[in-house]
Amino acid sequence: MLIKYFATFRDLTGELSLQLDESPARIAELLELLSVRYGKAFRNAVFEDGALSSLLILLVNGRNVRLTGGLSTPLSPTDEVSVFPMVAGG
């Protein structure tokens, strides 16, 4: 599974991407695993009161997980997960 980080998530992780040999079954498991790896700042950026943070955009193979089951979104070993902060501009 390939995890790609963008913008402030690159700063939080110190990485552009991560190739995982493990294969979490669901997004919730993946975010827990990554929170252990990257610490409290990462956890606070991805979770909000036990749910996905409203300031997070999380895509699995280009599809927003908010439309595919949220934390229950299933994963497979060949998936590509992209992690973005919410961005606004004008």
Side-chain angles (χ1 to χ4, degrees), residues 3-73:
I3 316 298
K4 293 183 174 181
Y5 302 110
F6 295 89
T8 55
F9 280 97
R10 288 182 176 171
D11 297 331
L12 284 172
T13 64
E15 299 181 301
L16 300 177
S17 64
L18 173 67
Q19 183 69 49
L20 274 184
D21 294 329
E22 305 166 57
S23 184
R26 306 217 176 279
I27 282 292
E29 295 168 26
L30 173 64
L31 293 179
E32 286 294 337
L33 178 74
L34 296 175
S35 292
V36 169
R37 180 182 178 100
Y38 298 118
K40 187 176 180 177
F42 183 89
R43 177 179 295 280
N44 291 341
V46 298
F47 289 114
E48 188 175 89
D49 297 324
L52 282 174
S53 171
S54 61
L55 302 177
L56 173 70
I57 299 171
L58 200 56
L59 307 178
V60 176
N61 302 323
R63 299 199 61 211
N64 192 322
V65 299
R66 294 185 194 284
L67 305 175
T68 60
L71 289 173
S72 297
T73 299

